[in-house]
Amino acid sequence: MGSVGAQLQTRFGHSPDDAARSARLAGAFSATLPFGFVGMPLIGWLLDTRPLSASFLLVDLAGCAYGALVLLRSDWALRVCFALVSLSQQFLYSAYFAAVAKLFGFCNFGKLSALINLLVAALGCAQYALGALALTHGYEAVDLALLACALPLLAFSLAQACTAPSRGAPARETVAGAPKGTAGAPDVV
């Protein structure tokens, strides 16, 4: 959060008008970020009533929409991006934690969640290289590279969502260690 203002200034410039614009947008970001919870009923409904692929499709759509809108550099597009960051953060963690529990059971949930968070933290170190790239080649190069990374994920999620069977009522999930025949098979798509 502390670097958003500096990133906006680097993106837009350092004139007094640009600094005021950056400060306004940084304020909008900090005001928007806590409201990601408003999308929780939607992701909860998707996780309860649809295959996991529907939830991941929503996450990937939000990420690609962010990636495309941030290239526009307009204030309204950046405000939409701030809302997408806020919502997609909640959607992403809800979907991943639901997937870990559904696919691997709760006896492995803590270990796998720790590994996922370790990977996320390790990938977070890439921000330094991306920051250096942005300073030398501009933010558009970084934004395009990140969008290029997100598009194959969107294609995969879309393919999974199109081939996943729809379910009308929530299925009973198999919990690791449960005796066979005591619960339905997990929805793994």
Side-chain angles (χ1 to χ4, degrees), residues 93-124:
Y93 283 106
S94 297
Y96 273 111
F97 290 138
V100 168
K102 284 182 179 182
L103 297 174
F104 302 105
F106 285 102
C107 69
N108 297 311
F109 183 80
K111 292 175 269 200
L112 291 173
S113 294
L115 286 173
I116 289 169
N117 285 324
L118 181 64
L119 178 63
V120 168
L123 289 173

Short mmCIF file of all heavy atoms in Angstrom, two decimals, residues 93-124:
data_model
loop_
_atom_site.label_atom_id
_atom_site.label_comp_id
_atom_site.label_asym_id
_atom_site.label_seq_id
_atom_site.Cartn_x
_atom_site.Cartn_y
_atom_site.Cartn_z
N TYR A 93 -8.29 -16.13 -2.68
CA TYR A 93 -8.02 -16.91 -1.48
C TYR A 93 -9.17 -17.84 -1.15
O TYR A 93 -8.96 -18.99 -0.75
CB TYR A 93 -7.65 -16.01 -0.30
CG TYR A 93 -6.22 -15.52 -0.43
CD1 TYR A 93 -5.94 -14.21 -0.79
CD2 TYR A 93 -5.16 -16.39 -0.24
CE1 TYR A 93 -4.62 -13.78 -0.93
CE2 TYR A 93 -3.85 -15.97 -0.39
CZ TYR A 93 -3.59 -14.66 -0.74
OH TYR A 93 -2.30 -14.26 -0.89
N SER A 94 -10.39 -17.40 -1.34
CA SER A 94 -11.54 -18.28 -1.08
C SER A 94 -11.50 -19.49 -2.00
O SER A 94 -11.70 -20.63 -1.56
CB SER A 94 -12.85 -17.52 -1.29
OG SER A 94 -12.97 -16.47 -0.37
N ALA A 95 -11.25 -19.26 -3.28
CA ALA A 95 -11.23 -20.36 -4.24
C ALA A 95 -10.07 -21.32 -3.96
O ALA A 95 -10.25 -22.55 -3.99
CB ALA A 95 -11.15 -19.81 -5.66
N TYR A 96 -8.88 -20.79 -3.68
CA TYR A 96 -7.75 -21.68 -3.44
C TYR A 96 -7.92 -22.50 -2.16
O TYR A 96 -7.65 -23.69 -2.16
CB TYR A 96 -6.43 -20.90 -3.38
CG TYR A 96 -5.83 -20.72 -4.74
CD1 TYR A 96 -5.77 -19.47 -5.34
CD2 TYR A 96 -5.32 -21.80 -5.45
CE1 TYR A 96 -5.23 -19.30 -6.60
CE2 TYR A 96 -4.79 -21.65 -6.72
CZ TYR A 96 -4.75 -20.39 -7.28
OH TYR A 96 -4.22 -20.25 -8.53
N PHE A 97 -8.37 -21.87 -1.11
CA PHE A 97 -8.53 -22.63 0.13
C PHE A 97 -9.65 -23.65 -0.01
O PHE A 97 -9.54 -24.76 0.52
CB PHE A 97 -8.75 -21.69 1.31
CG PHE A 97 -7.52 -20.90 1.68
CD1 PHE A 97 -7.60 -19.57 2.01
CD2 PHE A 97 -6.27 -21.49 1.67
CE1 PHE A 97 -6.46 -18.84 2.33
CE2 PHE A 97 -5.12 -20.78 2.00
CZ PHE A 97 -5.22 -19.44 2.33
N ALA A 98 -10.72 -23.32 -0.73
CA ALA A 98 -11.78 -24.30 -0.98
C ALA A 98 -11.25 -25.46 -1.82
O ALA A 98 -11.56 -26.62 -1.55
CB ALA A 98 -12.97 -23.64 -1.66
N ALA A 99 -10.43 -25.15 -2.83
CA ALA A 99 -9.88 -26.20 -3.69
C ALA A 99 -8.96 -27.12 -2.89
O ALA A 99 -9.02 -28.35 -3.05
CB ALA A 99 -9.12 -25.57 -4.85
N VAL A 100 -8.12 -26.56 -2.04
CA VAL A 100 -7.21 -27.39 -1.24
C VAL A 100 -8.02 -28.33 -0.35
O VAL A 100 -7.74 -29.53 -0.28
CB VAL A 100 -6.25 -26.52 -0.40
CG1 VAL A 100 -5.52 -27.34 0.64
CG2 VAL A 100 -5.26 -25.82 -1.31
N ALA A 101 -9.05 -27.81 0.31
CA ALA A 101 -9.86 -28.64 1.18
C ALA A 101 -10.61 -29.71 0.39
O ALA A 101 -10.66 -30.88 0.79
CB ALA A 101 -10.85 -27.77 1.96
N LYS A 102 -11.19 -29.33 -0.75
CA LYS A 102 -11.97 -30.30 -1.54
C LYS A 102 -11.09 -31.37 -2.17
O LYS A 102 -11.47 -32.53 -2.23
CB LYS A 102 -12.75 -29.57 -2.64
CG LYS A 102 -13.96 -28.85 -2.14
CD LYS A 102 -14.71 -28.21 -3.29
CE LYS A 102 -15.94 -27.49 -2.80
NZ LYS A 102 -16.71 -26.90 -3.91
N LEU A 103 -9.94 -30.98 -2.68
CA LEU A 103 -9.10 -31.92 -3.42
C LEU A 103 -8.23 -32.79 -2.54
O LEU A 103 -7.94 -33.93 -2.88
CB LEU A 103 -8.23 -31.16 -4.42
CG LEU A 103 -8.98 -30.40 -5.51
CD1 LEU A 103 -8.01 -29.59 -6.35
CD2 LEU A 103 -9.77 -31.36 -6.37
N PHE A 104 -7.77 -32.25 -1.39
CA PHE A 104 -6.80 -32.97 -0.59
C PHE A 104 -7.26 -33.29 0.82
O PHE A 104 -6.56 -33.96 1.56
CB PHE A 104 -5.48 -32.18 -0.54
CG PHE A 104 -4.92 -31.92 -1.90
CD1 PHE A 104 -5.01 -30.67 -2.48
CD2 PHE A 104 -4.32 -32.94 -2.63
CE1 PHE A 104 -4.50 -30.42 -3.73
CE2 PHE A 104 -3.81 -32.71 -3.90
CZ PHE A 104 -3.90 -31.44 -4.45
N GLY A 105 -8.41 -32.78 1.22
CA GLY A 105 -8.93 -33.06 2.55
C GLY A 105 -8.34 -32.14 3.61
O GLY A 105 -7.34 -31.47 3.39
N PHE A 106 -8.99 -32.16 4.75
CA PHE A 106 -8.58 -31.26 5.82
C PHE A 106 -7.35 -31.74 6.58
O PHE A 106 -6.68 -30.94 7.22
CB PHE A 106 -9.74 -31.00 6.78
CG PHE A 106 -10.76 -30.08 6.18
CD1 PHE A 106 -11.94 -30.57 5.66
CD2 PHE A 106 -10.52 -28.73 6.11
CE1 PHE A 106 -12.87 -29.73 5.08
CE2 PHE A 106 -11.44 -27.87 5.54
CZ PHE A 106 -12.63 -28.38 5.03
N CYS A 107 -7.02 -33.02 6.50
CA CYS A 107 -5.83 -33.47 7.23
C CYS A 107 -4.56 -32.93 6.59
O CYS A 107 -3.53 -32.85 7.25
CB CYS A 107 -5.80 -34.99 7.33
SG CYS A 107 -5.53 -35.85 5.79
N ASN A 108 -4.62 -32.52 5.31
CA ASN A 108 -3.46 -31.93 4.63
C ASN A 108 -3.60 -30.43 4.42
O ASN A 108 -2.72 -29.81 3.83
CB ASN A 108 -3.29 -32.61 3.26
CG ASN A 108 -2.99 -34.06 3.40
OD1 ASN A 108 -2.11 -34.45 4.16
ND2 ASN A 108 -3.74 -34.90 2.71
N PHE A 109 -4.69 -29.87 4.87
CA PHE A 109 -5.02 -28.48 4.59
C PHE A 109 -3.93 -27.52 5.09
O PHE A 109 -3.50 -26.63 4.36
CB PHE A 109 -6.37 -28.11 5.20
CG PHE A 109 -6.81 -26.73 4.90
CD1 PHE A 109 -7.39 -26.43 3.67
CD2 PHE A 109 -6.68 -25.70 5.83
CE1 PHE A 109 -7.81 -25.15 3.37
CE2 PHE A 109 -7.09 -24.42 5.54
CZ PHE A 109 -7.66 -24.14 4.31
N GLY A 110 -3.50 -27.67 6.31
CA GLY A 110 -2.50 -26.77 6.89
C GLY A 110 -1.17 -26.83 6.17
O GLY A 110 -0.58 -25.79 5.85
N LYS A 111 -0.71 -28.03 5.88
CA LYS A 111 0.58 -28.19 5.20
C LYS A 111 0.52 -27.60 3.79
O LYS A 111 1.43 -26.87 3.37
CB LYS A 111 0.96 -29.67 5.13
CG LYS A 111 1.29 -30.30 6.47
CD LYS A 111 1.55 -31.76 6.31
CE LYS A 111 0.20 -32.43 6.50
NZ LYS A 111 0.19 -33.81 6.83
N LEU A 112 -0.53 -27.90 3.07
CA LEU A 112 -0.63 -27.41 1.69
C LEU A 112 -0.86 -25.90 1.66
O LEU A 112 -0.32 -25.21 0.79
CB LEU A 112 -1.73 -28.15 0.95
CG LEU A 112 -1.40 -29.62 0.67
CD1 LEU A 112 -2.60 -30.34 0.09
CD2 LEU A 112 -0.20 -29.74 -0.24
N SER A 113 -1.65 -25.39 2.59
CA SER A 113 -1.87 -23.94 2.65
C SER A 113 -0.56 -23.22 2.95
O SER A 113 -0.28 -22.16 2.37
CB SER A 113 -2.91 -23.59 3.71
OG SER A 113 -4.17 -24.09 3.33
N ALA A 114 0.24 -23.79 3.84
CA ALA A 114 1.54 -23.20 4.14
C ALA A 114 2.44 -23.20 2.91
O ALA A 114 3.12 -22.20 2.63
CB ALA A 114 2.20 -23.95 5.29
N LEU A 115 2.43 -24.29 2.15
CA LEU A 115 3.25 -24.36 0.93
C LEU A 115 2.77 -23.34 -0.11
O LEU A 115 3.59 -22.70 -0.78
CB LEU A 115 3.22 -25.76 0.34
CG LEU A 115 4.03 -26.81 1.09
CD1 LEU A 115 3.79 -28.20 0.52
CD2 LEU A 115 5.51 -26.46 1.05
N ILE A 116 1.46 -23.20 -0.25
CA ILE A 116 0.91 -22.22 -1.19
C ILE A 116 1.34 -20.82 -0.79
O ILE A 116 1.79 -20.02 -1.61
CB ILE A 116 -0.61 -22.34 -1.28
CG1 ILE A 116 -1.00 -23.63 -2.00
CG2 ILE A 116 -1.22 -21.13 -1.99
CD1 ILE A 116 -2.47 -23.98 -1.92
N ASN A 117 1.21 -20.50 0.49
CA ASN A 117 1.59 -19.17 0.96
C ASN A 117 3.10 -18.93 0.85
O ASN A 117 3.53 -17.81 0.57
CB ASN A 117 1.10 -18.94 2.39
CG ASN A 117 -0.38 -18.68 2.43
OD1 ASN A 117 -0.94 -18.04 1.54
ND2 ASN A 117 -1.04 -19.18 3.45
N LEU A 118 3.90 -19.96 1.03
CA LEU A 118 5.34 -19.84 0.84
C LEU A 118 5.65 -19.54 -0.63
O LEU A 118 6.48 -18.67 -0.93
CB LEU A 118 6.04 -21.12 1.29
CG LEU A 118 7.56 -21.14 1.18
CD1 LEU A 118 8.17 -20.11 2.11
CD2 LEU A 118 8.09 -22.52 1.50
N LEU A 119 4.97 -20.22 -1.54
CA LEU A 119 5.16 -19.96 -2.96
C LEU A 119 4.75 -18.53 -3.31
O LEU A 119 5.45 -17.84 -4.05
CB LEU A 119 4.38 -20.98 -3.80
CG LEU A 119 4.45 -20.80 -5.30
CD1 LEU A 119 5.87 -20.98 -5.81
CD2 LEU A 119 3.52 -21.77 -5.98
N VAL A 120 3.62 -18.09 -2.78
CA VAL A 120 3.16 -16.72 -3.03
C VAL A 120 4.18 -15.71 -2.53
O VAL A 120 4.51 -14.74 -3.21
CB VAL A 120 1.78 -16.48 -2.39
CG1 VAL A 120 1.40 -15.01 -2.38
CG2 VAL A 120 0.71 -17.29 -3.12
N ALA A 121 4.72 -15.94 -1.34
CA ALA A 121 5.72 -15.03 -0.79
C ALA A 121 7.00 -15.04 -1.63
O ALA A 121 7.59 -13.99 -1.88
CB ALA A 121 6.04 -15.42 0.65
N ALA A 122 7.41 -16.21 -2.10
CA ALA A 122 8.60 -16.30 -2.94
C ALA A 122 8.39 -15.56 -4.26
O ALA A 122 9.25 -14.82 -4.73
CB ALA A 122 8.97 -17.76 -3.19
N LEU A 123 7.21 -15.73 -4.86
CA LEU A 123 6.90 -15.02 -6.10
C LEU A 123 6.79 -13.52 -5.86
O LEU A 123 7.03 -12.73 -6.77
CB LEU A 123 5.63 -15.56 -6.73
CG LEU A 123 5.75 -16.95 -7.33
CD1 LEU A 123 4.38 -17.46 -7.78
CD2 LEU A 123 6.73 -16.98 -8.48
N GLY A 124 6.44 -13.14 -4.64
CA GLY A 124 6.38 -11.73 -4.29
C GLY A 124 7.73 -11.04 -4.43
O GLY A 124 7.81 -9.83 -4.62
#
